[in-house]
Amino acid sequence: MSKRTGVLELAVLGLLHESPQHGYELRKRLNSMLGTFRAFSYGSLYPCLRDMLGRGWITEEGPAAAGTPALSGKRAKIVYRLTAEGKEHFQQLLTEIGPSAWEDDDQFGVHFAFFARTEAEVRMRILEGRRRRLEERLDYVRASLTRTRERLDSYTLELQRHGLESVEREVRWLNELISSERAGATPHAGESSPVSPTETTGGPSPAASPS
Amino acid sequence: MSKRTGVLELAVLGLLHESPQHGYELRKRLNSMLGTFRAFSYGSLYPCLRDMLGRGWITEEGPAAAGTPALSGKRAKIVYRLTAEGKEHFQQLLTEIGPSAWEDDDQFGVHFAFFARTEAEVRMRILEGRRRRLEERLDYVRASLTRTRERLDSYTLELQRHGLESVEREVRWLNELISSERAGATPHAGESSPVSPTETTGGPSPAASPS
DNA sequence: GTTAGCATGTAAGGAGTTACATGATTTT
DNA sequence: AAAATCATGTAACTCCTTACATGCTAAC
């Protein structure tokens, strides 16, 4: 009984919620959705699918059954489809959020990726929890930095500075998101929001290295 | 034969290179040095120390032996000290860098933290390797983004944008560092170079803009 | 004299990767 | 028909965390 409480499961549930897929495609969509944020390998995906199958959240369809028509020739091997239990479990995971949804970088990232399916109230809780968490981290690191500044060489100091700025940027990003959420009930719910290619959009970006 | 090729070992070697310490203190210095970048627990530190002991890179001194005088009452339990082999191994790790030194976020971060002890040529190799790696990632993600943009909701898109900007920012940071290195800002090359505790140290600090 | 922090450890396990093994289908 | 890519999977291993167990010492 492996526990599988990881991010992968949530991500797979979310992707299969959109449409049934087979493993190979799933992995590509997964890594493409998460962008620079994270990447998974087959060695974790397939065992995860097997587990989810065992729990009844998904079913698999062999190559014989042709469910969806209008698909070009490509007949994939095994198509995984979300069950009713799977959908329910997904919604539960999205709603019953704990601190890990903002404490853990990965968890937060995946939760954020599915914000379009998340209730506004829950979104706000996650964004604010995340912001609080990062501000605590900033306080702590800044404090220990002022205590030990003189003992650090300039490269280490530079690493610290860059790290701090990364986190500060993420906080600013969260601030904007939170304002946006408060202002427009659901600012972007629809399609094709223009990602402004405006040259200088400030420049957030924390990412840096997750812990 | 546990392999222990991780970042922890390198970091511990580097910290013990400065001065002998006991585990508890080591862990605090570790997490304070790495700042927002990373954190370790005792559950990984102590086994690591045990391993390094077995390999002869460090020795342990019980509370009986009072090596350094002029220490206030605080008699710590076990003090770990780097051996000659340990020092050699550390220098080797810093010099014989492979791609993992720039592919892996953690590895890069810890290597960077010890740049003050790293040869200028090796520093440059790591910085440029890292930059190339990030630019490849940018290309890849940007390409797959333009292919699948319309299929993503606005939150997912926002996550992508934020991630991309994060990486772009790190590339700019690397650019500044590389320029700075080329300009010959090498602050210290040899042994026991005094790190000036000057408040607003110019140092090798590439960022013209003060934080 | 009890809470808080210092100090050292271990067992169990979580979450994933790498490298391998295997075969089908498309492209060149 | 060879090469590339699609597609599925497994075994072994890495590296670290959590939770626990245990005591010492300083502060209130």
Side-chain angles (χ1 to χ4, degrees):
Chain A
M1 282 202 198
S2 37
K3 246 212 164 171
R4 292 273 169 232
T5 317
V7 284
L8 226 191
E9 180 184 289
L10 179 61
V12 167
L13 285 170
L15 282 184
L16 287 185
H17 204 286
E18 292 173 7
S19 65
Q21 282 157 88
H22 54 263
Y24 191 88
E25 197 184 347
L26 204 51
R27 189 228 181 194
K28 284 205 311 185
R29 301 247 300 133
L30 204 59
N31 292 344
S32 134
M33 178 182 77
L34 297 176
T36 58
F37 173 64
R38 206 163 190 331
F40 292 96
S41 64
Y42 298 118
S44 48
L45 176 59
Y46 284 114
C48 177
L49 286 170
R50 180 158 31 83
D51 260 44
M52 293 170 69
L53 198 60
R55 293 168 178 228
W57 296 334
I58 57 176
T59 58
E60 56 180 14
E61 294 165 29
T68 47
L71 276 183
S72 54
K74 282 191 169 189
R75 274 292 79 204
K77 278 269 176 99
I78 298 175
V79 173
Y80 295 95
R81 182 184 299 273
L82 217 55
T83 63
E85 290 87 10
K87 288 181 188 177
E88 196 186 344
H89 181 61
F90 177 63
Q91 287 301 331
Q92 225 173 20
L93 285 180
L94 279 191
T95 309
E96 295 179 12
I97 39 96
S100 58
W102 47 80
E103 304 272 340
D104 180 52
D105 288 6
D106 289 0
Q107 206 84 23
F108 170 73
V110 174
H111 270 276
F112 187 88
F114 292 115
F115 261 21
R117 291 186 206 286
T118 309
E119 293 171 33
E121 199 213 319
V122 175
R123 289 201 300 257
M124 197 55 104
R125 278 238 297 285
I126 292 178
L127 290 174
E128 286 177 338
R130 177 74 177 168
R131 180 173 59 179
R132 184 156 34 77
R133 177 78 175 89
L134 292 185
E135 270 165 354
E136 282 167 15
R137 209 147 84 186
L138 281 177
D139 286 348
Y140 177 76
V141 172
R142 277 201 272 249
S144 90
L145 185 58
T146 48
R147 275 202 313 273
T148 62
R149 200 191 338 247
E150 37 311 306
R151 304 177 59 182
L152 302 175
D153 64 283
S154 46
Y155 283 109
T156 310
L157 227 56
E158 179 59 28
L159 186 64
Q160 299 264 356
R161 197 189 60 72
H162 182 249
L164 276 179
E165 275 194 11
S166 296
V167 180
E168 285 162 2
R169 265 174 190 247
E170 188 172 346
V171 170
R172 286 198 294 275
W173 182 61
L174 290 170
N175 284 336
E176 286 172 17
L177 289 170
I178 289 168
S179 302
S180 189
E181 292 274 331
R182 278 203 231 278
T186 312
H188 353 257
E191 284 279 331
S192 67
S193 71
V195 176
S196 64
T198 318
E199 253 305 301
T200 47
T201 323
S205 81
S209 325
S211 60
Chain B
M1 280 207 196
S2 36
K3 247 217 164 166
R4 292 274 167 230
T5 317
V7 283
L8 226 191
E9 181 184 288
L10 179 61
V12 168
L13 285 169
L15 282 184
L16 286 184
H17 204 286
E18 292 174 5
S19 65
Q21 281 156 88
H22 55 265
Y24 190 88
E25 197 183 349
L26 204 51
R27 189 230 180 190
K28 283 206 311 186
R29 299 249 298 133
L30 204 59
N31 292 344
S32 134
M33 178 182 77
L34 297 177
T36 58
F37 172 65
R38 206 166 191 328
F40 292 96
S41 64
Y42 298 118
S44 48
L45 177 58
Y46 284 115
C48 177
L49 285 169
R50 181 159 31 81
D51 260 43
M52 293 170 70
L53 198 61
R55 292 169 179 228
W57 296 334
I58 58 176
T59 58
E60 54 179 15
E61 295 166 29
T68 47
L71 275 185
S72 54
K74 281 193 170 190
R75 274 294 78 206
K77 279 269 176 100
I78 299 175
V79 174
Y80 295 95
R81 182 183 300 272
L82 218 55
T83 63
E85 289 87 10
K87 287 182 188 177
E88 196 186 344
H89 181 62
F90 177 62
Q91 287 301 332
Q92 226 174 20
L93 285 181
L94 280 192
T95 309
E96 295 180 12
I97 39 96
S100 57
W102 46 82
E103 304 272 340
D104 180 51
D105 287 6
D106 289 0
Q107 206 85 23
F108 170 74
V110 174
H111 270 274
F112 187 89
F114 292 115
F115 261 20
R117 292 186 206 284
T118 309
E119 294 170 33
E121 199 212 319
V122 175
R123 289 201 299 258
M124 196 55 102
R125 279 238 296 284
I126 292 178
L127 289 174
E128 286 176 338
R130 177 74 177 166
R131 180 173 58 179
R132 183 156 35 78
R133 178 78 175 90
L134 292 186
E135 270 165 353
E136 282 168 15
R137 210 146 84 185
L138 281 177
D139 286 348
Y140 177 77
V141 172
R142 277 201 270 250
S144 91
L145 185 58
T146 47
R147 276 202 313 272
T148 62
R149 202 192 331 249
E150 27 327 294
R151 305 176 56 181
L152 303 174
D153 64 283
S154 47
Y155 283 110
T156 311
L157 227 57
E158 179 60 26
L159 186 64
Q160 298 265 355
R161 196 189 61 72
H162 182 250
L164 276 178
E165 277 193 10
S166 296
V167 179
E168 285 162 1
R169 174 169 173 271
E170 188 173 344
V171 169
R172 287 197 295 274
W173 182 60
L174 290 169
N175 283 336
E176 287 171 15
L177 289 169
I178 288 168
S179 301
S180 189
E181 292 274 330
R182 277 204 232 279
T186 316
H188 18 241
E191 282 277 333
S192 67
S193 56
V195 177
S196 67
T198 319
E199 244 304 298
T200 46
T201 178
S205 163
S209 53
S211 53

